C-alpha cells in the first residue's frame, strides 16, 4: 500500500507511531538539502519513507515494508479520492469527515484508553495562523501571530520567550537559554518545558466586505485595522479554516467541558515559583492517535461512510472527471449548454445530466463535457464556473444576484499588498517591515520594550526538541513574564453572509454551512467565491468597494471569452489541449518556452519535431557560423514513424496543380495568423543572415509529415502543419502552429501559438483515458481542418485528405475501432493497437464526428 504525507503509521518493530513527512513517489525538492540539517531531506529511493516519530520527534528514513498504516487523516471536504483495494476505478469526492481521537496530558503524559469525538474538544489556542476572522462586516485571515511562551526549568524557574509564527506548543521541550558569561557545557537533552503559550498580537489581512449589504452602505465601511492585541480579541469572530477543527496528531486541545478531564482522572498541573505569586495551571491535552471515517460521494451517485485507510487521494484525476451536483458545459459546433451532473459511469465514460433550469435529463459522453467551463471563464480568472465542495462563499442578500449569468461565480477578495513583503531583519537582529510593526504592537501590549537590556540580550535562539518538533527558533527574551490577560474571541453564530460549501444539489443549488453550523440551500447566483490567501491566482484586480450590482460590470468583461469563433485560439497562460505547448501573443517573453521543451505528446517519444531543432537558438548564437554546422542536423536521428505518403507525393505536380511542398516562402502572411496583428520587427543584419541559414536547413531537412510556410512581407512569422504519426492517438490528424520571431532572434527562441479546434483543456497523462480522448478529439481536428482550413494551407490539406485518400482512411480506421470496441474484449487481439478500444462514451462521441466526416467525403465525391 502506498503512503502519503500526514499518514499516521506504526513501526512494525514496536518503536511506536509516527507521521509520514515524505515519500519516494513525491520528491518536492529540486536540489538536495544537507542531510545534516534534516535527515529527511536527501533524495529518497523507491520504497523509502520519511517518518517523524510521535513522541521523540526523531526524523528518519525507513523502508515502507516496515510500516503499517494506522490512519489517513489528511482528507478535507472536497478532496478527490479512490478506493485502495477495489476493482472499482471510479473516484469520489469527500463530503464529510468523522474523527475520533485519543489524548494524553501535554505535561504529565497521563492518558486513558478512551476514544473521544473530536467535537468534544476545542483548540488550546484561541488564534491560529490561517483562521478566518470576521469583524465589522469584513472577512479576513490571520497572517501572523506574536506569541509569549512561558518556559519552566527543572528548578521551577520561569523564563518567558517571545516569537513570531506560533510554533511553540504546551509540552514542547527546549534547551535552557544561556546565562550571561556562562560557558558551561550545553546539556545533551532539553530540560526546560513550555507550560503556557499566549497570543500577544496578530496581523490580519482583510480581503472582502459583506456582500449582503447594499453597495452604497458597503462603500462606507472602512477596512478594519491590521494589528490586533490580545486584549482586543473579543471584537473578532473566529472561524477555523478548511479542514477538521481538531483531530490532527500532535495538536493541543482542551475539553469544551472541563469536568470531563477531571472525571477521567486527567488532572491539571500547577506551576509556581517559590518567590513569586505567578501561578500557571496547565490543562492542555495532546492528540496522540486518530481514527477517521469519511463520507464519500461516488461518481455513480452512491454515498457511503468508510474508514479513511481504505481510501487514497486521487492525484491523477482527468480534467473532465465530474461528480453529481457539478456544473458542466456541453458544447457542439452549433450550440452549447450548461448542465448539472446527475451521475457518471466511469467504465462507460458517459454521464447523466440535467439541463440547467429544466427538468430534462440526457445521457452524454464525458468527453463532450467541460467541468471547468473553459470557454466561459475570463482569461484573468475573475470568476469560476460553478462551485466546489469545501470552498467558502459570501452570500448576497435574498433576491439579489452576483452580477453574472449562472453558473458563473465571481471571485471576491483582495490580498493586501503588505502580505507579500518578505521577512527581513535589521543589523541588530530585530524584525523589519510589517513584522517589525507587529512586534512593536506586541511589546506595547506586554508593557516593555526591547531597548531594555536583559540577561541574555534581546535576540536568542532556542533549540526546540519536543513532541513532533525539532528545530531552532529565534525568540525575544525578557526577564519577567508579561502580565497579560487574553480576552476570549467572539463567536460567529450571528454571521449569515459567509460560509462553507458543504454540498451541491442535483438541480444546481448550493448547500452552505454558516459558522454556527446552520445549513441553508441557496441558488448559485446568490454566491460569490471567497478568495482566501491560498488562492494561487491573486492578481489584485478584483474590486473590493462593495457588493456587485445585479447584472453588474464583470459580465461585460467575459463577452470575448464567451463568443468563440470556429477557430479557437488558446488563451495566454492557459494549459492547452496537448500538454506542454503554451502560447504567447506579446513580446514580453514571460510565457516563452524554448522549442526543446515543446513536445506533442505521443508523437515524438524521443525527439521534438525537426522544426524545433532547426530554429532553436544556440547559446552564444552567431550568424557567422559555418553552414556545415546546421542546427537541423539533429533531426537525422529522429525515430519518427511517418503517415502514409506515396513515393511520388512529395514535390511532384498533381493534376490539380497542387504540390506537397514541405517548405515554401510565400509573398504575403495570412491575416488569420495568430501574430499577424503584432507590430512587425525591424530585422537586423544578423537576424536576416541567421534566418536565411535556417531557411536553407528547412528546405532540405523536413520530413514528409511537416510543412512550413514563411512570408516575404513578414520575415518574423512562420506557420507549420504537422500530420500526426502512425500508430499514435494523433494518427492522420492535423496540428497547426503559428510562430513569431522577435527582434532578438536567434538569441531568444521563437514564440509559439498552437491553434486548437476545441475548447477542451486537459493535461497529458500516459493512460488509456488520455489516449481515448486524444484520439476522439483529433478526429474532430480533421473535420474542422476541412470545414474551415487556414490560409496558405487550404490546398495542402485538401490534397492530403481528399486526393491521397486519407479522409477515407480516417473514417475506415475509426469505424474499425468502433467495431472492435463493441466486440467481446476476451476474443479481440489489441496488443499492437495504439488505441485498443473505446468506452461507450468514446464511441458515442466518435460516431458524431464520423457522421460529419462522411458527409464531407460524400460531398467531395
Amino acid at each position: 500500500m502506498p503512503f502519503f504525507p500526514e499518514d499516521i503509521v506504526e513501526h512494525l518493530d514496536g518503536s511506536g507511531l509516527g507521521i509520514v513527512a515524505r515519500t519516494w513517489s513525491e520528491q518536492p525538492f529540486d536540489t538536495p538539502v544537507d542531510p545534516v540539517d534534516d535527515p529527511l531531506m536527501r533524495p529518497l529511493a523507491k520504497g523509502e519513507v520519511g517518518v517523524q516519530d510521535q513522541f521523540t520527534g526523531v526524523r528518519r528514513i525507513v523502508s515502507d515494508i516496515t510500516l503499517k498504516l494506522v490512519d489517513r487523516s489528511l482528507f478535507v471536504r472536497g478532496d478527490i479520492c479512490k478506493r485502495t483495494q477495489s476493482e472499482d476505478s471510479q473516484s469520489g469526492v469527500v463530503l464529510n469527515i468523522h474523527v475520533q481521537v485519543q489524548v494524553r496530558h501535554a505535561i504529565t503524559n497521563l492518558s486513558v484508553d478512551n476514544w473521544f469525538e473530536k467535537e468534544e474538544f476545542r483548540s488550546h489556542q484561541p488564534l491560529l495562523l490561517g483562521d478566518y476572522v470576521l469583524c465589522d462586516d469584513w472577512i479576513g485571515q490571520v497572517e501572523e501571530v506574536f506569541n509569549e511562551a512561558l518556559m519552566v526549568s527543572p528548578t521551577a524557574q520561569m523564563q518567558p520567550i517571545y516569537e513570531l509564527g506560533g510554533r511553540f506548543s504546551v509540552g514542547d521541550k527546549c534547551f535552557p537559554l544561556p546565562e550571561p558569561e556562562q560557558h558551561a557545557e550545553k546539556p545533551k537533552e532539553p530540560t526546560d518545558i513550555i507550560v503556557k503559550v499566549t497570543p500577544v498580537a496578530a496581523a490580519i489581512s482583510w480581503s472582502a466586505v459583506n456582500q449582503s449589504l447594499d453597495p452604497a452602505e458597503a462603500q462606507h465601511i472602512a477596512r478594519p485595522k491590521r494589528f490586533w492585541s490580545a486584549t482586543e480579541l473579543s471584537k473578532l469572530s473566529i472561524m477555523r479554516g478548511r479542514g477538521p477543527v481538531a483531530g490532527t496528531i500532535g495538536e493541543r486541545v482542551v475539553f469544551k467541558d472541563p469536568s470531563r478531564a477531571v472525571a477521567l482522572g486527567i488532572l491539571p498541573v500547577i506551576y509556581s515559583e517559590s518567590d513569586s505569586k505567578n501561578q500557571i495551571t496547565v490543562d492542555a491535552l495532546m492528540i496522540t492517535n486518530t481514527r477517521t471515517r469519511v463520507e464519500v460521494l461516488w461518481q455513480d451517485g452512491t454515498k457511503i461512510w468508510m474508514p479513511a485507510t481504505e481510501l487514497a487521494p486521487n492525484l491523477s484525476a482527468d480534467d473532465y472527471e465530474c461528480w453529481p451536483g457539478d456544473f458542466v458545459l456541453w458544447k457542439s459546433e452549433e450550440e452549447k449548454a450548461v448542465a448539472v451532473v446527475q451521475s457518471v459511469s466511469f467504465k462507460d465514460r458517459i454521464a447523466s445530466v440535467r439541463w440547467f433550469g429544466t427538468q430534462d435529463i440526457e445521457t452524454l459522453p464525458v468527453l463532450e463535457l467541460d467541468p471547468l467551463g473553459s470557454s466561459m471563464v475570463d482569461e484573468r480568472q475573475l470568476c469560476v464556473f460553478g462551485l466546489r465542495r469545501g470552498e467558502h462563499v459570501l452570500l448576497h442578500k435574498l433576491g439579489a444576484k452576483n452580477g453574472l449569468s449562472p453558473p458563473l461565480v465571481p471571485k471576491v477578495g483582495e490580498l493586501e499588498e503588505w502580505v507579500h513583503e518578505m521577512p527581513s531583519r535589521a543589523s541588530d537582529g530585530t524584525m523589519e517591515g510589517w513584522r517589525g510593526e507587529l512586534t512593536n504592537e506586541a511589546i506595547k501590549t506586554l508593557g516593555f520594550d526591547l531597548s531594555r537590556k536583559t540577561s541574555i540580550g534581546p535576540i536568542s535562539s532556542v533549540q526546540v526538541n519536543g513532541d513532533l518538533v525539532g528545530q531552532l527558533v529565534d525568540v525575544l527574551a525578557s526577564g519577567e513574564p508579561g502580565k497579560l490577560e487574553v480576552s476570549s474571541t467572539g463567536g460567529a453564530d450571528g454571521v449569515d453572509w459567509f460560509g462553507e460549501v458543504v454540498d451541491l444539489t442535483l438541480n444546481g443549488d448550493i448547500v452552505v454551512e454558516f459558522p454556527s453550523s446552520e445549513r441553508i440551500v441557496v441558488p448559485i447566483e446568490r454566491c460569490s467565491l471567497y478568495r482566501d490567501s491560498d488562492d494561487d491566482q491573486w492578481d489584485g484586480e478584483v474590486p473590493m468597494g462593495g457588493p456587485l450590482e445585479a447584472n453588474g460590470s464583470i459580465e461585460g468583461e467575459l463577452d470575448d471569452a464567451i463568443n468563440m469563433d470556429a477557430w479557437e485560439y488558446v488563451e495566454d497562460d492557459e494549459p492547452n489541449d496537448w500538454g506542454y505547448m503554451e502560447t504567447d501573443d506579446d513580446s514580453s517573453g514571460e510565457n516563452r518556452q524554448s522549442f526543446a521543451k515543446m513536445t506533442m505528446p505521443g508523437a515524438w517519444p524521443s525527439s521534438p519535431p525537426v522544426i524545433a531543432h532547426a530554429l532553436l537558438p544556440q547559446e552564444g548564437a552567431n550568424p557567422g557560423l559555418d553552414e556545415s554546422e546546421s542546427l537541423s542536423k539533429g533531426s537525422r536521428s529522429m525515430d519518427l514513424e511517418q503517415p502514409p505518403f506515396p513515393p511520388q507525393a512529395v514535390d511532384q505536380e498533381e493534376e490539380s496543380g497542387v504540390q506537397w511542398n514541405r517548405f515554401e516562402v510565400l509573398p504575403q502572411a495570412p491575416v488569420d495568423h495568430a501574430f499577424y496583428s503584432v507590430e512587425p520587427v525591424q530585422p537586423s543584419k544578423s537576424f536576416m543572415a541567421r534566418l536565411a541559414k535556417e531557411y536553407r536547413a528547412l528546405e532540405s531537412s523536413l520530413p514528409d509529415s511537416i510543412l512550413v510556410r514563411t512570408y516575404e512581407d513578414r520575415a518574423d512569422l512562420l506557420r507549420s502543419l504537422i500530420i500526426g504519426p502512425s500508430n499514435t492517438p494523433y494518427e492522420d490528424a492535423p496540428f497547426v502552429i503559428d510562430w513569431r520571431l522577435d527582434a532578438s532572434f536567434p538569441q531568444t527562441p521563437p514564440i509559439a501559438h498552437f491553434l486548437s479546434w476545441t475548447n477542451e483543456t486537459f493535461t497529458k497523462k500516459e493512460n488509456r483515458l488520455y489516449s481515448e480522448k486524444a484520439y476522439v478529439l483529433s478526429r474532430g481536428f480533421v473535420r474542422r481542418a476541412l470545414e474551415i482550413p487556414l490560409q496558405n494551407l487550404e490546398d495542402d490539406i485538401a490534397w492530403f485528405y481528399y486526393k491521397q485518400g486519407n479522409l477515407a482512411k480516417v473514417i475506415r480506421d475509426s469505424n474499425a475501432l468502433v467495431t472492435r470496441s463493441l466486440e467481446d474484449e476476451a476474443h479481440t487481439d489489441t496488443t499492437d493497437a495504439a488505441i485498443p478500444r473505446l468506452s461507450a462514451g468514446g464511441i458515442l462521441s466518435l460516431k458524431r464526428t464520423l457522421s460529419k466526416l462522411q458527409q464531407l467525403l460524400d460531398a467531395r465525391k
Side-chain angles (χ1 to χ4, degrees), residues 5 19 46 76-77 84 329 417 519 551 602 608 710 785 793 805 860:
I19 297 180
K46 184 175 181 179
V76 296
R77 181 177 286 120
T84 55
L329 179 66
E417 187 63 30
R519 294 187 177 188
N551 304 317
T710 62
L793 295 175
R860 187 74 176 191

Side-chain angles (χ1 to χ4, degrees), residues 775 809-820 846-847 850 854:
Y775 183 86
K809 177 178 177 295
V810 167
I811 296 173
R812 184 171 60 253
D813 291 348
S814 298
N815 280 323
L817 176 58
V818 170
T819 300
R820 185 167 69 241
L846 180 59
K847 281 186 173 181
L850 289 179
Q854 188 64 53

Side-chain angles (χ1 to χ4, degrees), residues 735-777:
F735 301 93
V736 179
I737 304 173
D738 284 347
W739 310 92
R740 182 170 75 87
L741 314 177
D742 65 16
S744 58
F745 176 81
Q747 276 69 36
T748 57
I751 304 165
H753 190 117
F754 172 52
L755 280 71
S756 168
W757 278 273
T758 172
N759 69 328
E760 301 291 339
T761 59
F762 62 97
T763 305
K764 178 181 183 290
K765 296 181 177 67
E766 297 295 347
N767 56 34
R768 173 185 166 186
L769 294 181
Y770 171 78
S771 297
E772 174 177 298
K773 186 169 189 178
Y775 183 86
V776 173
L777 290 179

Side-chain angles (χ1 to χ4, degrees), residues 567 672 719 736 757 782-798 802:
W567 280 84
D672 62 355
R719 169 167 283 175
V736 179
W757 278 273
V782 176
R783 175 195 169 189
R784 302 305 287 171
L786 293 170
E787 290 180 336
I788 313 176
L790 289 170
Q791 295 178 32
N792 299 149
L793 295 175
E794 307 99 319
D795 294 338
D796 302 289
I797 290 174
Y802 292 128

Side-chain angles (χ1 to χ4, degrees), residues 249 551 599 603 722 756 837:
I249 191 170
N551 304 317
T599 61
I722 304 173
S756 168
R837 57 199 314 113

Side-chain angles (χ1 to χ4, degrees), residues 114-221:
N114 303 46
W115 286 93
F116 303 96
E117 303 296 323
K118 73 177 179 71
E119 288 78 13
E120 293 186 59
F121 302 91
R122 60 174 175 82
S123 175
H124 182 251
Q125 286 295 95
L127 205 62
L128 299 174
L129 292 178
D131 279 350
Y132 292 129
V133 185
L134 300 103
C135 179
D136 295 337
D137 285 310
W138 277 84
I139 175 71
Q141 281 187 279
V142 177
E143 299 293 341
E144 188 62 276
V145 179
F146 184 102
N147 282 338
E148 176 189 69
L150 196 59
M151 187 167 64
V152 176
S153 71
T155 58
Q157 296 299 309
M158 295 186 182
Q159 170 67 60
I161 51 180
Y162 305 89
E163 54 95 23
L164 285 170
R167 288 165 290 183
F168 283 126
S169 297
V170 172
D172 285 346
K173 295 179 180 179
C174 310
F175 289 92
L177 295 178
E179 293 294 335
E181 302 179 359
Q182 184 183 39
H183 303 287
E185 183 178 352
K186 179 181 176 181
K188 295 182 179 180
E189 297 293 334
T191 57
D192 292 10
I193 190 168
I194 302 295
V195 298
K196 182 181 180 181
V197 179
T198 305
V200 180
I204 300 173
S205 63
W206 302 98
S207 51
V209 72
N210 182 352
Q211 297 291 293
S212 68
L213 301 175
D214 291 327
E217 179 185 359
Q219 290 177 2
H220 294 92
I221 299 179

Side-chain angles (χ1 to χ4, degrees), residues 345-378:
S345 171
F346 181 84
K347 178 181 178 181
D348 294 330
R349 319 290 187 255
I350 57 175
S352 171
V353 303
R354 181 197 303 270
W355 299 114
F356 183 51
T358 76
Q359 298 300 314
D360 300 332
I361 295 178
E362 188 170 341
T363 299
L364 299 172
V366 295
L367 296 180
E368 298 179 4
L369 303 178
D370 180 9
L372 304 178
S374 306
S375 65
M376 293 183 66
V377 176
D378 69 304

